[in-house]
């Protein structure tokens, strides 16, 4: 049985949530393997809108197991609120269909405070534009071996020792930033309270998933963010604090890399980015405004306006290679309806030299200007198209050109936010 990894192949918000929800019909288990509630995934099912941040996007479908893997950083207070919100929309969430890895690090209130204090203290040009949700500081604590993990909630003495270890680091740091010291007793009490709500979901996820795999169950690994926000391969330091590329799926849940049969990259038919950092094809003109308006490009998590630009094939070719993407899901094709001419970045000009990838050095990235190829647009509507036959000839040409330039085939096409406005070309779960 095939297991599929879904990753964003640009700067996030490619439409991963919609596609994971759509694909989850074919899966038994849906497992988030990194990121936290910095993610915002919007699902639209028969007109009903679900906004997910920490919960896997398969949770809305009944009869599936949803898993939060150890590669995630988890804000337990946020999760409980999100569960309540989604339950109020009629979705059943119980320890039978949601499991949280016991070795998942917890985002504490102090992480969010540190994240926001650093952003506020940063001068213009050095801000990252984070979501302010404590993601970076929590991953720092994980790697610094001072995180509090889900399993620590079960034993009072361990929990207290873990809190002391964390505060030994955080209190001096807070002093330097002018934030008051953490109230140790208050934090322990808060954790002891939330423990009662979180622990019923805690499980040895690595074991459960290995057993599922042996039993021939299909696993869908759900990534958050996008490859250009990857801590190693993204536009550093304007990135998130985790590995988001497909290689992370295995370590993020505790399963061997050989269990992954297919990597599906989610790719928007143009480019967006929220937060600071380089964006070679960014449009600050009417075309950019039009993409943002037609695509409703406002962040699901922070409500910030997303920056918009033309499709960057050079970047997507690069991220397809880094994640070993077997096929892409091209989303939001309908947003391009009505443009006279479309531009695609095929390479960069760096000091007069043609470069077919984005260089790593920040100064070189800044000097890269896109080399564009122009294509005729289409005036017909593709919104809601459910088969190739419904697409205008120029839209098909655009999709075909994207495939050639990124050197990767299109497996799925998405033409509206609705679950079923999706065209299947190749089934990623096919053996
Ligand atoms: P994610 O973070 O990758 O899950 O993406 P988001 O949910 O943050 O942003 C994608 C937005 O585009 C959501 O509001 C989706 O409902 C919407 N969307 C997804 N696919 C399509 C599509 O094919 N066409 C249009 N117009 N909207 C889409
Ligand atoms: P989904 O899963 C788009 C961006 C932030 C900021 C940078 C670091 O919805 O695609 P962080 O809070 O992670 O430390 O912020 O990363 N960012 C995202 N941008 N989509 C996301 O998730 C993002 N998650 C983080 O805007 O630039
Ligand atoms: Mg999003």
């Amino acid at each position: 049985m095939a297991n599929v990894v879904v990753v964003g192949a640009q700067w996030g918000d490619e439409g991963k949530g919609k596609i994971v929800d759509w694909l989850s019909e074919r899966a038994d288990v849906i497992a988030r393997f990194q990121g936290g509630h910095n993610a915002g995934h919007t699902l639209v099912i028969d007109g009903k809108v679900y906004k997910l941040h920490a919960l896997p996007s398969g949770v809305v479908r009944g009869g599936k197991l949803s898993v939060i893997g150890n590669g995630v950083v988890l804000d337990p207070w946020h999760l409980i609120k999100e569960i309540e919100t989604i339950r109020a929309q009629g979705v059943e969430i119980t320890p039978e269909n949601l499991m949280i890895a016991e070795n998942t690090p917890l985002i504490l209130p102090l992480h969010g405070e540190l994240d926001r204090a650093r952003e506020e203290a940063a001068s213009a040009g050095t801000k990252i534009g984070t979501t302010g949700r404590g993601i970076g500081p929590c991953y720092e604590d994980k790697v610094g071996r001072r995180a509090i993990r889900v399993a620590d909630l079960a034993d009072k003495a361990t929990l207290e020792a873990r809190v002391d270890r964390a505060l030994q680091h955080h209190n001096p740091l807070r002093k330097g930033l002018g934030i008051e010291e953490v109230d140790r007793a208050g934090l322990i009490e808060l954790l002891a309270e939330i423990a009662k709500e979180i622990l019923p979901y805690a499980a040895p996820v690595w074991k459960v998933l290995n057993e599922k795999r042996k039993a021939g169950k299909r696993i869908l690994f759900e990534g958050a963010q996008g490859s250009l926000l990857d801590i190693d391969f993204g536009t550093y330091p304007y990135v998130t604090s985790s590995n988001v590329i497909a290689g992370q799926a295995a370590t993020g849940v505790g399963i061997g890399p050989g269990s992954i049969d297919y990597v599906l990259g989610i790719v928007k038919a143009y480019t967006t980015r929220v937060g600071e950092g380089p964006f070679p094809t960014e449009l600050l003109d009417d075309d950019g405004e039009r993409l943002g308006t037609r695509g409703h490009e406002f962040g699901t998590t922070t409500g910030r306006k997303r920056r918009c630009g033309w499709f960057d094939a050079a970047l997507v070719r690069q991220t397809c290679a880094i994640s070993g993407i077997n096929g892409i899901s091209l989303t939001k094709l309908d947003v391009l309806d009505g443009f006279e001419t479309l531009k695609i970045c095929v390479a960069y000009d760096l000091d007069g030299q043609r470069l077919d990838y984005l260089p790593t050095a920040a100064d070189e990235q800044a000097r890269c200007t896109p080399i564009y190829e122009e294509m005729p647009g289409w005036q017909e509507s593709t919104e809601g198209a459910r088969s190739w036959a419904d697409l205008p000839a120029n839209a098909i040409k655009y999709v075909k050109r994207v495939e050639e330039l990124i050197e990767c085939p299109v497996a799925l096409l998405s033409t509206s936010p609705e679950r079923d406005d999706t065209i299947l070309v190749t089934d990623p779960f096919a053996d």
Side-chain angles (χ1 to χ4, degrees):
M1 285 292 175
N3 297 318
V4 175
V5 175
V6 169
V7 285
Q10 291 154 315
W11 274 292
D13 302 325
E14 298 92 347
K16 297 176 293 294
K18 165 179 167 164
I19 300 299
V20 168
D21 165 63
W22 189 87
L23 276 177
S24 64
E25 189 187 12
R26 294 164 152 73
D28 300 293
V29 182
I30 298 91
R32 266 285 298 269
F33 59 83
Q34 50 71 230
H37 65 313
N38 49 349
H41 302 156
T42 303
L43 279 51
V44 185
I45 302 160
D46 295 331
K48 198 163 171 182
V49 180
Y50 301 85
K51 291 189 184 292
L52 303 172
H53 300 279
L55 286 168
S57 299
V59 81
V60 175
R61 259 183 219 277
K64 312 285 174 187
L65 174 63
S66 287
V67 166
I68 295 178
N70 55 278
V72 167
V73 282
L74 181 71
D75 180 326
W77 298 277
H78 169 90
L79 180 74
I80 296 303
K81 268 198 223 129
E82 190 173 322
I83 289 176
E84 281 164 13
T85 307
I86 298 299
R87 266 193 197 138
Q89 291 191 277
V91 176
E92 198 184 352
I93 301 175
T94 68
E96 297 304 307
N97 68 359
L98 176 68
M99 281 183 192
I100 306 172
E102 296 162 323
N103 47 347
T104 304
L106 297 176
I107 300 179
L108 307 176
L110 61 86
H111 291 128
E113 287 158 16
L114 181 57
D115 191 355
R116 294 185 294 273
R118 281 175 175 163
E119 286 282 279
E120 272 160 33
S123 52
T126 63
K127 273 189 207 316
I128 305 292
T130 72
T131 59
R133 296 198 158 190
I135 307 296
C138 184
Y139 275 119
E140 286 169 32
D141 278 2
K142 170 180 172 169
V143 178
R145 295 166 291 196
R146 54 178 176 266
I148 297 169
R149 309 198 302 177
V150 168
D152 302 329
L153 294 172
D155 178 65
K156 192 161 179 283
T158 309
L159 183 61
E160 288 186 2
R162 292 282 193 265
V163 167
D164 286 336
R165 197 181 180 88
L167 295 192
Q168 213 173 33
H169 173 81
H170 280 279
N171 276 336
L173 195 59
R174 289 166 72 92
K175 202 169 171 195
L177 283 162
I179 317 175
E180 61 182 17
E181 285 202 351
V182 174
D183 166 13
R184 176 184 184 273
L187 177 58
I188 291 170
E189 200 181 310
L190 266 182
L191 286 164
E193 278 302 308
I194 202 71
K196 293 178 216 152
E197 298 191 65
I198 289 293
L199 286 173
Y201 298 100
V205 153
W206 65 271
K207 191 165 183 291
V208 174
L209 289 191
N210 275 279
E211 283 162 6
K212 294 276 182 201
R213 194 180 68 81
K214 277 192 201 136
K217 302 291 182 197
R218 289 169 159 186
I219 305 170
L220 176 54
F221 299 89
E222 179 184 12
Q225 288 83 53
S227 312
L228 296 165
L229 290 169
D230 182 270
I231 186 73
D232 287 301
F233 293 100
T235 44
Y236 194 90
Y238 302 98
V239 293
T240 193
S241 297
S242 63
N243 281 116
V244 315
I245 59 175
Q248 171 65 18
T251 42
V253 298
I255 207 162
S259 309
I260 297 164
D261 303 289
Y262 190 98
V263 181
L264 181 72
I266 314 298
V267 176
K268 208 178 270 194
Y270 49 99
T271 314
T272 63
R273 164 161 216 174
V274 55
E276 306 302 319
F279 182 174
T281 63
E282 182 170 16
L283 291 168
L284 300 167
D285 58 8
D286 289 350
D287 284 336
E289 278 296 314
R290 185 187 160 100
L291 287 171
T293 308
R294 284 188 55 86
H296 305 290
E297 296 296 355
F298 292 89
T300 316
T301 299
T302 56
R304 288 178 293 177
K305 195 171 172 183
R306 296 174 183 150
R307 300 154 64 191
C308 297
W310 295 121
F311 185 74
D312 190 335
L315 273 185
V316 176
R317 187 167 55 233
Q318 187 166 335
T319 59
C320 281
I322 291 166
S323 267
I325 290 174
N326 299 100
I328 66 158
S329 173
L330 192 66
T331 62
K332 304 191 91 161
L333 188 67
D334 54 295
V335 174
L336 298 182
D337 292 354
F339 276 93
E340 200 61 41
T341 304
L342 297 168
K343 289 188 185 179
I344 300 181
C345 168
V346 294
Y348 305 107
D349 180 302
L350 175 63
D351 307 332
Q353 300 267 29
R354 187 184 170 103
L355 209 59
D356 68 354
Y357 69 98
L358 190 69
T360 303
D363 63 313
E364 291 188 346
Q365 286 183 353
R367 293 203 307 282
C368 274
T369 53
I371 300 173
Y372 284 116
E373 189 175 284
E374 291 195 0
M375 295 198 71
W378 54 91
Q379 301 311 310
E380 303 89 331
S381 169
T382 64
E383 195 186 340
R386 292 189 181 183
S387 78
W388 275 104
D390 295 337
L391 298 177
N394 281 353
I396 294 177
K397 277 189 199 149
Y398 184 81
V399 175
K400 291 282 166 206
R401 189 62 186 136
V402 165
E403 283 183 319
E404 271 172 16
L405 288 168
I406 66 170
E407 297 167 11
C408 191
V410 168
L412 289 158
L413 255 177
S414 169
T415 57
S416 103
E418 265 291 341
R419 177 191 267 175
D420 291 325
D421 291 339
T422 305
I423 302 172
L424 176 65
V425 182
T426 309
D427 186 351
F429 277 110
D431 292 327

